mmCIF file with all atom_site columns, all heavy atoms in Angstrom:
data_model
loop_
_atom_site.group_PDB
_atom_site.id
_atom_site.type_symbol
_atom_site.label_atom_id
_atom_site.label_alt_id
_atom_site.label_comp_id
_atom_site.label_asym_id
_atom_site.label_entity_id
_atom_site.label_seq_id
_atom_site.pdbx_PDB_ins_code
_atom_site.Cartn_x
_atom_site.Cartn_y
_atom_site.Cartn_z
_atom_site.occupancy
_atom_site.B_iso_or_equiv
_atom_site.pdbx_formal_charge
_atom_site.auth_seq_id
_atom_site.auth_comp_id
_atom_site.auth_asym_id
_atom_site.auth_atom_id
_atom_site.pdbx_PDB_model_num
ATOM 1   N N   . ALA A 1 75 ? 97.210  107.749 111.130 1.00 83.00 ? 257 ALA A N   1
ATOM 2   C CA  . ALA A 1 75 ? 95.868  107.389 111.355 1.00 83.00 ? 257 ALA A CA  1
ATOM 3   C C   . ALA A 1 75 ? 94.773  108.092 110.520 1.00 83.00 ? 257 ALA A C   1
ATOM 4   O O   . ALA A 1 75 ? 95.165  109.100 109.862 1.00 83.00 ? 257 ALA A O   1
ATOM 5   C CB  . ALA A 1 75 ? 95.558  107.785 112.911 1.00 83.00 ? 257 ALA A CB  1
ATOM 6   N N   . ARG A 1 76 ? 93.652  107.501 110.495 1.00 84.00 ? 258 ARG A N   1
ATOM 7   C CA  . ARG A 1 76 ? 92.513  108.075 109.737 1.00 84.00 ? 258 ARG A CA  1
ATOM 8   C C   . ARG A 1 76 ? 91.322  108.020 110.664 1.00 84.00 ? 258 ARG A C   1
ATOM 9   O O   . ARG A 1 76 ? 91.005  106.894 111.254 1.00 84.00 ? 258 ARG A O   1
ATOM 10  C CB  . ARG A 1 76 ? 92.245  107.264 108.503 1.00 84.00 ? 258 ARG A CB  1
ATOM 11  C CG  . ARG A 1 76 ? 90.994  107.764 107.606 1.00 84.00 ? 258 ARG A CG  1
ATOM 12  C CD  . ARG A 1 76 ? 90.729  106.846 106.522 1.00 84.00 ? 258 ARG A CD  1
ATOM 13  N NE  . ARG A 1 76 ? 89.548  107.205 105.704 1.00 84.00 ? 258 ARG A NE  1
ATOM 14  C CZ  . ARG A 1 76 ? 89.587  107.835 104.564 1.00 84.00 ? 258 ARG A CZ  1
ATOM 15  N NH1 . ARG A 1 76 ? 90.710  108.179 104.028 1.00 84.00 ? 258 ARG A NH1 1
ATOM 16  N NH2 . ARG A 1 76 ? 88.466  108.176 103.879 1.00 84.00 ? 258 ARG A NH2 1
ATOM 17  N N   . HIS A 1 77 ? 90.608  109.132 110.741 1.00 87.00 ? 259 HIS A N   1
ATOM 18  C CA  . HIS A 1 77 ? 89.364  109.112 111.547 1.00 87.00 ? 259 HIS A CA  1
ATOM 19  C C   . HIS A 1 77 ? 88.132  109.441 110.766 1.00 87.00 ? 259 HIS A C   1
ATOM 20  O O   . HIS A 1 77 ? 88.129  110.503 110.103 1.00 87.00 ? 259 HIS A O   1
ATOM 21  C CB  . HIS A 1 77 ? 89.525  110.153 112.684 1.00 87.00 ? 259 HIS A CB  1
ATOM 22  C CG  . HIS A 1 77 ? 90.721  109.960 113.504 1.00 87.00 ? 259 HIS A CG  1
ATOM 23  N ND1 . HIS A 1 77 ? 90.928  108.724 114.344 1.00 87.00 ? 259 HIS A ND1 1
ATOM 24  C CD2 . HIS A 1 77 ? 91.852  110.745 113.777 1.00 87.00 ? 259 HIS A CD2 1
ATOM 25  C CE1 . HIS A 1 77 ? 92.077  108.924 114.942 1.00 87.00 ? 259 HIS A CE1 1
ATOM 26  N NE2 . HIS A 1 77 ? 92.612  110.067 114.650 1.00 87.00 ? 259 HIS A NE2 1
ATOM 27  N N   . GLY A 1 78 ? 87.156  108.552 110.726 1.00 84.00 ? 260 GLY A N   1
ATOM 28  C CA  . GLY A 1 78 ? 85.949  108.799 109.914 1.00 84.00 ? 260 GLY A CA  1
ATOM 29  C C   . GLY A 1 78 ? 84.806  109.148 110.802 1.00 84.00 ? 260 GLY A C   1
ATOM 30  O O   . GLY A 1 78 ? 84.909  109.494 112.100 1.00 84.00 ? 260 GLY A O   1
ATOM 31  N N   . PRO A 1 79 ? 83.576  109.154 110.210 1.00 84.00 ? 261 PRO A N   1
ATOM 32  C CA  . PRO A 1 79 ? 82.407  109.564 111.024 1.00 84.00 ? 261 PRO A CA  1
ATOM 33  C C   . PRO A 1 79 ? 82.263  108.786 112.338 1.00 84.00 ? 261 PRO A C   1
ATOM 34  O O   . PRO A 1 79 ? 82.319  107.536 112.369 1.00 84.00 ? 261 PRO A O   1
ATOM 35  C CB  . PRO A 1 79 ? 81.243  109.255 110.008 1.00 84.00 ? 261 PRO A CB  1
ATOM 36  C CG  . PRO A 1 79 ? 81.915  109.381 108.688 1.00 84.00 ? 261 PRO A CG  1
ATOM 37  C CD  . PRO A 1 79 ? 83.235  108.856 108.834 1.00 84.00 ? 261 PRO A CD  1
ATOM 38  N N   . GLY A 1 80 ? 81.916  109.458 113.390 1.00 86.00 ? 262 GLY A N   1
ATOM 39  C CA  . GLY A 1 80 ? 81.732  108.853 114.709 1.00 86.00 ? 262 GLY A CA  1
ATOM 40  C C   . GLY A 1 80 ? 83.030  108.724 115.483 1.00 86.00 ? 262 GLY A C   1
ATOM 41  O O   . GLY A 1 80 ? 83.050  108.334 116.704 1.00 86.00 ? 262 GLY A O   1
ATOM 42  N N   . GLU A 1 81 ? 84.184  109.145 114.877 1.00 89.00 ? 263 GLU A N   1
ATOM 43  C CA  . GLU A 1 81 ? 85.427  108.992 115.682 1.00 89.00 ? 263 GLU A CA  1
ATOM 44  C C   . GLU A 1 81 ? 85.913  110.420 116.027 1.00 89.00 ? 263 GLU A C   1
ATOM 45  O O   . GLU A 1 81 ? 85.470  111.421 115.520 1.00 89.00 ? 263 GLU A O   1
ATOM 46  C CB  . GLU A 1 81 ? 86.517  108.445 114.676 1.00 89.00 ? 263 GLU A CB  1
ATOM 47  C CG  . GLU A 1 81 ? 86.083  106.959 114.306 1.00 89.00 ? 263 GLU A CG  1
ATOM 48  C CD  . GLU A 1 81 ? 87.292  106.306 113.465 1.00 89.00 ? 263 GLU A CD  1
ATOM 49  O OE1 . GLU A 1 81 ? 88.456  106.216 114.016 1.00 89.00 ? 263 GLU A OE1 1
ATOM 50  O OE2 . GLU A 1 81 ? 86.977  105.866 112.398 1.00 89.00 ? 263 GLU A OE2 1
ATOM 51  N N   . ILE A 1 82 ? 86.808  110.391 117.015 1.00 93.00 ? 264 ILE A N   1
ATOM 52  C CA  . ILE A 1 82 ? 87.242  111.707 117.662 1.00 93.00 ? 264 ILE A CA  1
ATOM 53  C C   . ILE A 1 82 ? 88.759  111.860 117.461 1.00 93.00 ? 264 ILE A C   1
ATOM 54  O O   . ILE A 1 82 ? 89.428  110.843 117.331 1.00 93.00 ? 264 ILE A O   1
ATOM 55  C CB  . ILE A 1 82 ? 86.839  111.700 119.196 1.00 93.00 ? 264 ILE A CB  1
ATOM 56  C CG1 . ILE A 1 82 ? 87.295  110.498 119.906 1.00 93.00 ? 264 ILE A CG1 1
ATOM 57  C CG2 . ILE A 1 82 ? 85.260  111.876 119.285 1.00 93.00 ? 264 ILE A CG2 1
ATOM 58  C CD1 . ILE A 1 82 ? 87.060  110.539 121.363 1.00 93.00 ? 264 ILE A CD1 1
ATOM 59  N N   . PHE A 1 83 ? 89.239  113.012 117.608 1.00 95.00 ? 265 PHE A N   1
ATOM 60  C CA  . PHE A 1 83 ? 90.679  113.311 117.637 1.00 95.00 ? 265 PHE A CA  1
ATOM 61  C C   . PHE A 1 83 ? 90.893  114.618 118.343 1.00 95.00 ? 265 PHE A C   1
ATOM 62  O O   . PHE A 1 83 ? 89.929  115.390 118.533 1.00 95.00 ? 265 PHE A O   1
ATOM 63  C CB  . PHE A 1 83 ? 91.281  113.293 116.256 1.00 95.00 ? 265 PHE A CB  1
ATOM 64  C CG  . PHE A 1 83 ? 90.844  114.466 115.356 1.00 95.00 ? 265 PHE A CG  1
ATOM 65  C CD1 . PHE A 1 83 ? 91.614  115.547 115.172 1.00 95.00 ? 265 PHE A CD1 1
ATOM 66  C CD2 . PHE A 1 83 ? 89.611  114.320 114.714 1.00 95.00 ? 265 PHE A CD2 1
ATOM 67  C CE1 . PHE A 1 83 ? 91.196  116.606 114.430 1.00 95.00 ? 265 PHE A CE1 1
ATOM 68  C CE2 . PHE A 1 83 ? 89.157  115.468 113.890 1.00 95.00 ? 265 PHE A CE2 1
ATOM 69  C CZ  . PHE A 1 83 ? 90.031  116.521 113.718 1.00 95.00 ? 265 PHE A CZ  1
ATOM 70  N N   . GLY A 1 84 ? 92.190  114.962 118.684 1.00 95.00 ? 266 GLY A N   1
ATOM 71  C CA  . GLY A 1 84 ? 92.432  116.199 119.437 1.00 95.00 ? 266 GLY A CA  1
ATOM 72  C C   . GLY A 1 84 ? 92.892  115.908 120.746 1.00 95.00 ? 266 GLY A C   1
ATOM 73  O O   . GLY A 1 84 ? 93.604  114.924 121.027 1.00 95.00 ? 266 GLY A O   1
ATOM 74  N N   . ALA A 1 85 ? 92.518  116.762 121.685 1.00 96.00 ? 267 ALA A N   1
ATOM 75  C CA  . ALA A 1 85 ? 93.031  116.732 123.045 1.00 96.00 ? 267 ALA A CA  1
ATOM 76  C C   . ALA A 1 85 ? 91.927  116.395 124.096 1.00 96.00 ? 267 ALA A C   1
ATOM 77  O O   . ALA A 1 85 ? 90.890  116.990 124.127 1.00 96.00 ? 267 ALA A O   1
ATOM 78  C CB  . ALA A 1 85 ? 93.642  118.015 123.434 1.00 96.00 ? 267 ALA A CB  1
ATOM 79  N N   . TYR A 1 86 ? 92.233  115.387 124.953 1.00 95.00 ? 268 TYR A N   1
ATOM 80  C CA  . TYR A 1 86 ? 91.423  115.069 126.037 1.00 95.00 ? 268 TYR A CA  1
ATOM 81  C C   . TYR A 1 86 ? 92.205  114.027 126.961 1.00 95.00 ? 268 TYR A C   1
ATOM 82  O O   . TYR A 1 86 ? 92.864  113.169 126.311 1.00 95.00 ? 268 TYR A O   1
ATOM 83  C CB  . TYR A 1 86 ? 89.997  114.381 125.728 1.00 95.00 ? 268 TYR A CB  1
ATOM 84  C CG  . TYR A 1 86 ? 89.171  114.304 126.772 1.00 95.00 ? 268 TYR A CG  1
ATOM 85  C CD1 . TYR A 1 86 ? 88.318  115.378 127.339 1.00 95.00 ? 268 TYR A CD1 1
ATOM 86  C CD2 . TYR A 1 86 ? 89.099  113.076 127.579 1.00 95.00 ? 268 TYR A CD2 1
ATOM 87  C CE1 . TYR A 1 86 ? 87.567  115.194 128.408 1.00 95.00 ? 268 TYR A CE1 1
ATOM 88  C CE2 . TYR A 1 86 ? 88.289  112.876 128.663 1.00 95.00 ? 268 TYR A CE2 1
ATOM 89  C CZ  . TYR A 1 86 ? 87.568  113.944 129.129 1.00 95.00 ? 268 TYR A CZ  1
ATOM 90  O OH  . TYR A 1 86 ? 86.757  113.822 130.172 1.00 95.00 ? 268 TYR A OH  1
ATOM 91  N N   . PRO A 1 87 ? 92.188  114.129 128.279 1.00 95.00 ? 269 PRO A N   1
ATOM 92  C CA  . PRO A 1 87 ? 91.430  115.128 129.115 1.00 95.00 ? 269 PRO A CA  1
ATOM 93  C C   . PRO A 1 87 ? 92.124  116.432 129.228 1.00 95.00 ? 269 PRO A C   1
ATOM 94  O O   . PRO A 1 87 ? 91.537  117.382 129.928 1.00 95.00 ? 269 PRO A O   1
ATOM 95  C CB  . PRO A 1 87 ? 91.412  114.378 130.424 1.00 95.00 ? 269 PRO A CB  1
ATOM 96  C CG  . PRO A 1 87 ? 92.653  113.558 130.495 1.00 95.00 ? 269 PRO A CG  1
ATOM 97  C CD  . PRO A 1 87 ? 92.900  113.147 129.118 1.00 95.00 ? 269 PRO A CD  1
ATOM 98  N N   . ASP A 1 88 ? 93.388  116.554 128.831 1.00 96.00 ? 270 ASP A N   1
ATOM 99  C CA  . ASP A 1 88 ? 94.119  117.830 128.962 1.00 96.00 ? 270 ASP A CA  1
ATOM 100 C C   . ASP A 1 88 ? 94.464  118.364 127.625 1.00 96.00 ? 270 ASP A C   1
ATOM 101 O O   . ASP A 1 88 ? 94.623  117.591 126.629 1.00 96.00 ? 270 ASP A O   1
ATOM 102 C CB  . ASP A 1 88 ? 95.327  117.673 129.839 1.00 96.00 ? 270 ASP A CB  1
ATOM 103 C CG  . ASP A 1 88 ? 94.980  117.214 131.307 1.00 96.00 ? 270 ASP A CG  1
ATOM 104 O OD1 . ASP A 1 88 ? 94.152  117.906 131.903 1.00 96.00 ? 270 ASP A OD1 1
ATOM 105 O OD2 . ASP A 1 88 ? 95.508  116.175 131.714 1.00 96.00 ? 270 ASP A OD2 1
ATOM 106 N N   . GLU A 1 89 ? 94.820  119.559 127.585 1.00 96.00 ? 271 GLU A N   1
ATOM 107 C CA  . GLU A 1 89 ? 95.441  120.199 126.309 1.00 96.00 ? 271 GLU A CA  1
ATOM 108 C C   . GLU A 1 89 ? 96.674  119.710 126.109 1.00 96.00 ? 271 GLU A C   1
ATOM 109 O O   . GLU A 1 89 ? 97.406  119.218 126.954 1.00 96.00 ? 271 GLU A O   1
ATOM 110 C CB  . GLU A 1 89 ? 95.428  121.708 126.455 1.00 96.00 ? 271 GLU A CB  1
ATOM 111 C CG  . GLU A 1 89 ? 94.098  122.429 126.633 1.00 96.00 ? 271 GLU A CG  1
ATOM 112 C CD  . GLU A 1 89 ? 94.182  123.870 126.755 1.00 96.00 ? 271 GLU A CD  1
ATOM 113 O OE1 . GLU A 1 89 ? 95.278  124.484 126.570 1.00 96.00 ? 271 GLU A OE1 1
ATOM 114 O OE2 . GLU A 1 89 ? 93.189  124.543 127.066 1.00 96.00 ? 271 GLU A OE2 1
ATOM 115 N N   . SER A 1 90 ? 97.153  119.538 124.724 1.00 96.00 ? 272 SER A N   1
ATOM 116 C CA  . SER A 1 90 ? 98.294  118.965 124.294 1.00 96.00 ? 272 SER A CA  1
ATOM 117 C C   . SER A 1 90 ? 98.775  119.588 123.088 1.00 96.00 ? 272 SER A C   1
ATOM 118 O O   . SER A 1 90 ? 98.472  120.671 122.753 1.00 96.00 ? 272 SER A O   1
ATOM 119 C CB  . SER A 1 90 ? 98.131  117.446 124.208 1.00 96.00 ? 272 SER A CB  1
ATOM 120 O OG  . SER A 1 90 ? 97.241  117.089 123.219 1.00 96.00 ? 272 SER A OG  1
ATOM 121 N N   . VAL A 1 91 ? 99.576  118.913 122.271 1.00 96.00 ? 273 VAL A N   1
ATOM 122 C CA  . VAL A 1 91 ? 100.045 119.325 120.943 1.00 96.00 ? 273 VAL A CA  1
ATOM 123 C C   . VAL A 1 91 ? 99.710  118.201 119.985 1.00 96.00 ? 273 VAL A C   1
ATOM 124 O O   . VAL A 1 91 ? 99.655  117.064 120.237 1.00 96.00 ? 273 VAL A O   1
ATOM 125 C CB  . VAL A 1 91 ? 101.487 119.692 120.866 1.00 96.00 ? 273 VAL A CB  1
ATOM 126 C CG1 . VAL A 1 91 ? 101.741 120.877 121.815 1.00 96.00 ? 273 VAL A CG1 1
ATOM 127 C CG2 . VAL A 1 91 ? 102.361 118.499 121.167 1.00 96.00 ? 273 VAL A CG2 1
ATOM 128 N N   . PHE A 1 92 ? 99.419  118.595 118.659 1.00 95.00 ? 274 PHE A N   1
ATOM 129 C CA  . PHE A 1 92 ? 99.226  117.600 117.668 1.00 95.00 ? 274 PHE A CA  1
ATOM 130 C C   . PHE A 1 92 ? 100.579 117.037 117.283 1.00 95.00 ? 274 PHE A C   1
ATOM 131 O O   . PHE A 1 92 ? 101.573 117.671 117.136 1.00 95.00 ? 274 PHE A O   1
ATOM 132 C CB  . PHE A 1 92 ? 98.708  118.281 116.336 1.00 95.00 ? 274 PHE A CB  1
ATOM 133 C CG  . PHE A 1 92 ? 97.233  118.662 116.438 1.00 95.00 ? 274 PHE A CG  1
ATOM 134 C CD1 . PHE A 1 92 ? 96.825  120.003 116.785 1.00 95.00 ? 274 PHE A CD1 1
ATOM 135 C CD2 . PHE A 1 92 ? 96.302  117.720 116.409 1.00 95.00 ? 274 PHE A CD2 1
ATOM 136 C CE1 . PHE A 1 92 ? 95.450  120.204 116.882 1.00 95.00 ? 274 PHE A CE1 1
ATOM 137 C CE2 . PHE A 1 92 ? 94.928  118.078 116.501 1.00 95.00 ? 274 PHE A CE2 1
ATOM 138 C CZ  . PHE A 1 92 ? 94.579  119.304 116.744 1.00 95.00 ? 274 PHE A CZ  1
ATOM 139 N N   . ARG A 1 93 ? 100.519 115.639 117.141 1.00 91.00 ? 275 ARG A N   1
ATOM 140 C CA  . ARG A 1 93 ? 101.801 114.943 116.869 1.00 91.00 ? 275 ARG A CA  1
ATOM 141 C C   . ARG A 1 93 ? 102.073 114.768 115.379 1.00 91.00 ? 275 ARG A C   1
ATOM 142 O O   . ARG A 1 93 ? 103.125 114.319 115.047 1.00 91.00 ? 275 ARG A O   1
ATOM 143 C CB  . ARG A 1 93 ? 101.768 113.508 117.552 1.00 91.00 ? 275 ARG A CB  1
ATOM 144 C CG  . ARG A 1 93 ? 101.618 113.596 119.006 1.00 91.00 ? 275 ARG A CG  1
ATOM 145 C CD  . ARG A 1 93 ? 101.322 112.185 119.560 1.00 91.00 ? 275 ARG A CD  1
ATOM 146 N NE  . ARG A 1 93 ? 101.291 112.235 121.051 1.00 91.00 ? 275 ARG A NE  1
ATOM 147 C CZ  . ARG A 1 93 ? 100.250 112.585 121.796 1.00 91.00 ? 275 ARG A CZ  1
ATOM 148 N NH1 . ARG A 1 93 ? 99.116  112.987 121.127 1.00 91.00 ? 275 ARG A NH1 1
ATOM 149 N NH2 . ARG A 1 93 ? 100.214 112.531 123.117 1.00 91.00 ? 275 ARG A NH2 1
#
Side-chain angles (χ1 to χ4, degrees):
R258 177 188 176 100
H259 304 299
E263 295 182 59
I264 53 177
F265 67 100
Y268 188 83
D270 300 307
E271 297 181 9
S272 61
V273 297
F274 285 101
R275 297 171 179 81

